[in-house]
Amino acid sequence: KAGVTQTPRYLIKTRGQQVTLSCSPISGHRSVSWYQQTPGQGLQFLFEYFSETQRNKGNFPGRFSGRQFSNSRSEMNVSTLELGDSALYLCASSPGAGGELFFGEGSRLTVL
Amino acid sequence: AQRVTQPEKLLSVFKGAPVELKCNYSYSGSPELFWYVQYSRQRLQLLLRHISRESIKGFTADLNKGETSFHLKKPFAQEEDSAMYYCALEGITDSWGKLQFGAGTQVVVTP
């Protein structure tokens, strides 16, 4: 089985712009979670989607949003980028009943 | 509030020596606990989970509810164990896909 695929792998944006990151889960997995990883804050949960519904959300401002499509692929969007949004954004998938998460390689966002 | 604490940022051990990575948690209930590992240039992956009670790559972890700890141990470290290790907690309710991660412990095994 192909693993979790995230695109793009690297991107550079400037403050005020917006960005969309994409995640394709492992085939058959219906749950997709997103995490932000920074040196200062570590791994922090953003949100989780299952069958196109957001089931869980972390403590991030409304500038961070996401969605899931009927094929389980997911996107996350960050609007009005700030310097502090520079991070590695990780997507993880699972069958949906909790337990093991399968992570992608991440999308590294740099905000200038 | 749930919290996971890994007190050691860096653990340097010699090959063949025992290694123990500490993890303490705070959660009002019975969570599920995991150890995830990230080897150099690889993605984050599950090492083991407490409910499976397995030994993976020689590592074991015992859940101590009294001390709220889930320390990871290996009796004889190998060079290939050099990696970043994260302890993670999943709550029992309303926690779909949500893991609370510790800050991580970098393990360096020297020959």
Side-chain angles (χ1 to χ4, degrees):
Chain A
K1 272 185 182 178
V4 176
T5 305
Q6 292 187 244
T7 56
R9 291 291 315 282
Y10 302 91
L11 64 168
I12 300 173
K13 294 285 187 179
T14 56
R15 279 181 298 175
Q17 287 186 311
Q18 73 163 11
V19 66
T20 299
L21 309 178
S22 180
C23 172
S24 292
I26 290 172
S27 178
H29 285 189
R30 296 168 65 188
S31 169
V32 173
S33 306
W34 289 88
Y35 288 80
Q36 182 195 64
Q37 186 175 28
T38 59
Q41 299 297 318
L43 282 153
Q44 293 188 289
F45 172 77
L46 281 156
F47 27 64
E48 187 262 1
Y49 289 87
F50 181 85
S51 293
E52 303 179 68
T53 300
Q54 186 183 85
R55 292 196 299 186
N56 217 340
K57 190 177 189 308
N59 296 323
F60 279 82
R63 299 185 297 106
F64 291 81
S65 63
R67 60 178 175 167
Q68 187 181 34
F69 302 96
S70 58
N71 61 359
S72 293
R73 190 177 69 85
S74 177
E75 289 181 346
M76 68 162 282
N77 184 277
V78 188
S79 62
T80 319
L81 284 165
E82 301 177 359
L83 295 179
D85 297 332
S86 294
L88 181 67
Y89 290 88
L90 292 171
C91 168
S93 75
S94 78
E100 180 176 2
L101 297 184
F102 295 82
F103 284 86
E105 293 179 291
S107 292
R108 184 165 296 283
L109 170 65
T110 301
V111 182
L112 303 176
Chain B
Q2 55 192 47
R3 187 171 65 247
V4 177
T5 304
Q6 292 179 252
E8 304 124 338
K9 282 189 176 180
L10 173 66
L11 211 51
S12 184
V13 298
F14 287 107
K15 178 182 173 181
V19 60
E20 180 179 27
L21 288 75
K22 291 184 168 44
C23 172
N24 288 90
Y25 68 90
S26 122
Y27 183 76
S28 54
S30 295
E32 183 162 1
L33 287 149
F34 306 82
W35 277 98
Y36 278 79
V37 61
Q38 187 164 29
Y39 301 102
S40 179
R41 289 185 292 279
Q42 292 188 29
R43 59 187 70 194
L44 193 59
Q45 59 187 281
L46 178 68
L47 179 62
L48 53 80
R49 54 196 296 188
H50 89 272
I51 62 170
S52 64
R53 299 182 182 276
E54 291 178 303
S55 172
I56 306 292
K57 297 185 178 183
F59 283 97
T60 58
D62 291 321
L63 176 60
N64 185 321
K65 292 185 179 180
E67 295 182 358
T68 58
S69 68
F70 188 56
H71 303 328
L72 182 69
K73 302 176 185 179
K74 184 170 182 177
F76 307 104
Q78 303 299 313
E79 290 180 69
E80 55 265 30
D81 296 327
S82 295
M84 190 72 170
Y85 292 80
Y86 294 95
C87 181
L89 175 156
E90 181 182 57
I92 297 302
T93 59
D94 299 333
S95 295
W96 301 289
K98 179 180 180 180
L99 291 179
Q100 181 73 42
F101 282 92
T105 298
Q106 180 73 49
V107 171
V108 176
V109 181
T110 52

